[in-house]
């Protein structure tokens, strides 16, 4: 099997004989590197154990062949030159060596079997961990998508609130302009009242002059006409004053309505800002958990 790093925190290995690919995720790159090194170490140890077992098998087979070839010679030698005790002395060491080699092979096979079982257990635990990590990653991705949608909705609402604030600021500017116009109208009203008083004084003076100087009757008629015109103008001015006062009252009423609407909007805006703050804290917490 060959282990390959596919990213900084994920690796996979393929078993060509089983036609299977395994993957495993890690919380840090250091753990991935440590696992890759341990994987390579175990792989090298398994290879060495396999090579040793093959060497031992070949050695045992060579010994058996050599003993098979040497047995007739020793038999002939014993039959010619020696006794049965000498033949036993020639065959004993090779059998003991073969038995020792067989014991070593059995021990290596037992160790290999225990290692295989251990690696299968570790592989099973790694598969379970990988499945849990995969499910957690999927849940995290779904949660991130949900929060992204919520963030987009809140962003749209925030844009709408900002446009509403701009509109209210424009309305406030219009209110300030109306206040300035009202102040101008008030000053104009005071000027008209002062002018009216002056005209009344002038009319009074003209009446006195008409009573005192009979010779000025013709002029008095002219003054009377002026007086009528002034009275008419006075009425017009009074109507204008009433209209201006009505307009001032309406302006004050609209100003109070705009203030109430602005206060309501500011309360709603504070609520939305608190929701955005909570949402940002949720996103930060989610990032830390991931």
């Amino acid at each position: 099997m060959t282990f390959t790093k596919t990213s900084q925190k994920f690796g996979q290995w393929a078993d060509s004989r089983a036609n299977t690919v395994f993957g495993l995720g890690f919380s840090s790159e250091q753990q991935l590197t440590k696992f890759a090194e341990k994987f390579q170490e175990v792989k090298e140890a398994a290879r060495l154990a396999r090579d040793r077992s093959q060497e031992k098998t070949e050695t045992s087979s060579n010994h058996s062949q050599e003993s098979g070839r040497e047995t007739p010679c020793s038999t002939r030698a014993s039959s010619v030159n020696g006794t049965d005790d000498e033949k036993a002395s020639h065959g004993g060491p090779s059998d003991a060596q073969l038995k020792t080699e067989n014991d070593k092979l059995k021990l290596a096979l037992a160790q290999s079997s225990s290692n295989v079982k251990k690696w299968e257990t570790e592989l099973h635990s790694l598969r379970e961990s990988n499945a849990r990590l995969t499910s957690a990653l999927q849940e995290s991705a779904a949660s991130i998508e949900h929060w992204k949608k919520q963030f987009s909705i809140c962003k749209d609402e925030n844009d709408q609130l900002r446009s509403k604030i701009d509109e209210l600021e424009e309305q406030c500017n219009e209110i300030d302009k109306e206040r300035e116009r009202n102040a101008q109208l008030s000053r104009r009203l005071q000027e008209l009242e002062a002018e009216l008083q002056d005209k009344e004084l002038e009319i009074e003076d003209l009446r006195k002059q008409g009573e005192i100087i009979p010779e000025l009757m013709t002029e008095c008629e002219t003054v009377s006409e002026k007086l009528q015109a002034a009275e008419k103008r006075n009425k017009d001015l009074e109507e204008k004053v009433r209209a201006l006062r009505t307009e001032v009252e309406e302006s004050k009423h609209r100003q109070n309505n705009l203030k109430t609407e602005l206060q309501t909007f500011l309360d709603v805006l504070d609520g939305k800002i608190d929701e955005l703050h909570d949402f940002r804290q949720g996103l930060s917490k989610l990032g830390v958990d991931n």
Side-chain angles (χ1 to χ4, degrees), residues 24 122-135:
L24 189 62
E122 292 180 356
L123 181 60
H124 182 67
S125 63
L126 289 174
R127 285 179 180 175
E128 292 180 351
S129 300
N130 191 18
R132 289 195 297 271
L133 287 172
T134 302
S135 61

Side-chain angles (χ1 to χ4, degrees), residues 240-282:
K240 288 182 180 180
V241 168
R242 285 196 295 272
L244 289 173
R245 287 178 178 175
T246 303
E247 187 176 356
V248 168
E249 292 296 327
E250 290 178 356
S251 178
K252 289 181 179 180
H253 183 66
R254 281 187 297 172
Q255 184 177 357
N256 292 329
N257 291 333
L258 288 173
K259 285 182 179 180
T260 304
E261 185 179 0
L262 180 60
Q263 185 64 35
T264 304
F265 176 75
L266 290 175
D267 295 335
V268 174
L269 181 61
D270 292 335
K272 294 295 182 180
I273 289 172
D274 293 335
E275 290 179 2
L276 287 174
H277 182 67
D278 295 337
F279 176 69
R280 183 178 180 184
Q281 289 181 351

Side-chain angles (χ1 to χ4, degrees), residues 186-196 198:
S186 298
R187 290 193 297 269
R188 181 62 179 167
L189 181 61
Q190 291 176 358
E191 291 176 358
L192 290 173
E193 288 178 351
E195 186 178 355
L196 181 61
D198 293 338

Side-chain angles (χ1 to χ4, degrees), residues 140 143 147 277-290:
S140 178
S143 178
W147 285 113
H277 182 67
D278 295 337
F279 176 69
R280 183 178 180 184
Q281 289 181 351
L283 284 178
S284 300
K285 185 177 179 182
L286 179 61
V288 171
D289 293 337
N290 288 336

